[in-house]
Amino acid sequence: MRFGFTEDQQRFRADVRRTLRSAEVRAAAEQATGAAGVEPDARPLYRMLGGLGLLAVHWPVEFGGAGRPLTDAAILAEELVRAGVPDTFHVNTIQIVGQFLLMAGDAEQKRRHLPALARGESFASVLYTEPDAGSDLGALRTVAEPDGDGGYRITGTKVFSLKTRFVDLGLCAARTTPTAGKYQGISLFLVDMRAPGVTVSMIPGIGDEHFHRVELDGVAVSAADLIGPRDEGWPLLNEALAVERTGLDYYLKAERWLDTALEALVDRDPDSAHAAHLEQIGRWHGALTADHSLAWEVLTGLEAGRIDQLAAAVAKYHSSELAQGIAAWAADIPSPDQRANRTRPAKILDSAHREAPGLTLSAGTSEVMLHIVAAAFDSLP
C-alpha cells in the first residue's frame, strides 16, 4: 500500500503543474471544454500538450515518451484534470489504446502508431460495445472475415464510444471464428476510422460529450492490423480491462466535482452556506481519500508488473459509484442566481449531473464489478 510520494515524484508533479499553469495552456483548455451540450474539438489542446511532452511520459523514448515510470503517468493524469484539461482523449488514446499497443502490439505496430499518439497528432477510440451485447463482450456479433489476400473485412455495429468523430484509429473487437465458443474466436484489430465502409454518427444524449454509433460495412484491414494472435483476443481484453479499471479517472472527476460544489457554496454565502452540509462534506472527503488509495494500489501493482483483476474491480466500482453520488448531491448546490447567471461552478455541476449516469456503465458496469468480487470470494477455500 502506498502512503506517500517520493521526492522524485513530488518534483515531477511540481514541474508538470508549473507547465500546465501557463496562460497558453489554460486558455486552450478553456476552449476545449464542453458546456450546455456543445462539444468542441479538443485536438488543438492535445497537440499543444504533445509538443510539451505531456501526454505519454511513461512510454519508451523510441515511441515518443520520456521513459518515466507508470506511476508518473498517473501523476500527470491527476494534474491534467486538476488543470481543467478535458480527459477523454487522454484516457482513450494514451491510457487505453496506446497502453494496449504497448502491452500486446508487435514492434512494427508500435513504431507505426505510438509516436503520433504521443505527439497529439493522432487519436484513438475503443470499439467494443454493441447494441445487443452491452458490457458482455462474449455476446458481440461483429465479424472479421478473411478476404483471401491475408487480410480481413470487418462488418458490424459499435455504439457508445466517445470522441469517435475526431479520432483516427479504432481498437475493434470482432469474431474471426464465429463458430467457436462464447469467449473464443475473438480477435482485436486496429481500424482506420477514415477507411471506406466506416460510418460514424452521433447518438442523442444529455451529456456534453457525445456518444457515437459506428457502422462497419466490409471495412478492409490487413494482417498487420491484427493485434496479437488470431482468435486470442479474449485473454488480451481481460488484461486490458484490468489496466483500464484503475479508478483514477473516476476519482479525479469526483474530486473536481466536490471542489466545485464547495466553490459554489462559498460563492453563495462565505460565512454559513456550507454549515448544513458539513457532515456530508466530511463523508465525501473520507470516501475520496479511500478512493485515491484504492486507485494507487492498482497503479503501483501495474508498475510492478502485477495485474490484479479483483483490486481493479474494487477500485472501478468504488470510484464510479462515488463520482456518481457526488454529482447527484452537488446538483442541488448552486443557487437559483448562480444557475441563472451560468456561473463557472453552476456550469460544471450541471455538466457533471448529466455525465455521471454513464460512469457506472463504462469500462464495465457496477454489476459486472460486483460479480468479479463475488467470484473471487467464491473461489476461496
Side-chain angles (χ1 to χ4, degrees), residues 6 8-9 12 55-60 65-77 99 102 296 299-300 302-304:
T6 66
D8 183 64
Q9 288 173 328
F12 176 70
L55 290 181
V57 296
H58 64 300
W59 290 1
R68 298 191 68 90
L70 178 63
T71 44
D72 280 2
I75 291 172
L76 170 64
Q99 191 65 31
L102 276 178
W296 273 87
L299 287 162
T300 51
L302 292 172
E303 175 63 26

Side-chain angles (χ1 to χ4, degrees), residues 264-310:
L265 284 171
V266 171
D267 287 347
R268 278 172 49 181
D269 186 345
D271 297 321
S272 60
H274 63 287
H277 300 282
L278 279 178
E279 180 180 350
Q280 184 58 69
I281 291 169
R283 291 181 182 277
W284 289 137
H285 273 293
L288 278 171
T289 300
D291 209 30
H292 199 228
S293 295
L294 288 170
W296 273 87
E297 180 74 2
V298 177
L299 287 162
T300 51
L302 292 172
E303 175 63 26
R306 300 190 307 272
I307 297 178
D308 188 332
Q309 300 275 358
L310 175 59

Side-chain angles (χ1 to χ4, degrees), residues 25-48:
V25 173
R26 292 170 66 181
E30 181 67 25
Q31 292 177 356
T33 301
V38 177
E39 183 180 31
D41 184 354
R43 287 176 294 183
L45 167 63
Y46 274 82
R47 293 187 190 104
M48 179 187 298

Side-chain angles (χ1 to χ4, degrees), residues 90-144:
H90 192 253
V91 170
N92 287 348
T93 300
I94 304 298
Q95 298 178 34
I96 299 178
V97 178
Q99 191 65 31
F100 187 89
L101 275 172
L102 276 178
M103 178 183 72
D106 61 32
E108 178 56 31
Q109 289 168 338
K110 294 174 184 178
R111 284 193 295 268
R112 185 158 34 117
H113 297 292
L114 291 181
L117 299 179
R119 292 192 299 266
E121 296 173 0
S122 182
F123 299 89
S125 187
V126 173
L127 303 178
Y128 294 163
T129 304
E130 298 186 2
D132 297 320
S135 295
D136 182 9
L137 293 178
L140 66 84
R141 297 181 179 179
T142 296
V143 296

Side-chain angles (χ1 to χ4, degrees), residues 34-222:
V38 177
E39 183 180 31
D41 184 354
R43 287 176 294 183
L45 167 63
Y46 274 82
R47 293 187 190 104
M48 179 187 298
L49 294 173
L52 294 169
L54 290 180
L55 290 181
V57 296
H58 64 300
W59 290 1
V61 174
E62 64 179 308
F63 300 136
R68 298 191 68 90
L70 178 63
T71 44
D72 280 2
I75 291 172
L76 170 64
E78 290 184 351
E79 294 306 318
L80 286 172
V81 172
R82 290 167 182 167
V85 173
D87 69 341
T88 303
F89 269 142
H90 192 253
V91 170
N92 287 348
T93 300
I94 304 298
Q95 298 178 34
I96 299 178
V97 178
Q99 191 65 31
F100 187 89
L101 275 172
L102 276 178
M103 178 183 72
D106 61 32
E108 178 56 31
Q109 289 168 338
K110 294 174 184 178
R111 284 193 295 268
R112 185 158 34 117
H113 297 292
L114 291 181
L117 299 179
R119 292 192 299 266
E121 296 173 0
S122 182
F123 299 89
S125 187
V126 173
L127 303 178
Y128 294 163
T129 304
E130 298 186 2
D132 297 320
S135 295
D136 182 9
L137 293 178
L140 66 84
R141 297 181 179 179
T142 296
V143 296
E145 298 177 310
D147 63 5
D149 294 320
Y152 299 84
R153 293 276 180 173
I154 300 179
T155 300
T157 302
K158 301 292 183 177
V159 291
F160 299 133
S161 56
L162 292 170
K163 301 294 185 187
T164 315
R165 64 194 173 103
F166 298 116
V167 307
D168 309 282
L169 293 172
L171 177 59
C172 180
R175 290 197 178 277
T176 39
T177 304
T179 57
K182 184 175 182 180
Y183 297 107
Q184 286 77 46
I186 297 173
S187 298
L188 295 164
F189 298 89
L190 285 176
V191 175
D192 179 355
M193 298 300 290
R194 308 286 183 255
V198 177
T199 303
V200 179
S201 59
M202 285 193 294
I203 299 174
I206 61 175
D208 292 331
E209 290 188 308
H210 301 143
F211 287 116
H212 295 86
R213 181 184 184 93
V214 180
E215 300 286 353
L216 304 166
D217 184 10
V219 179
V221 293
S222 70

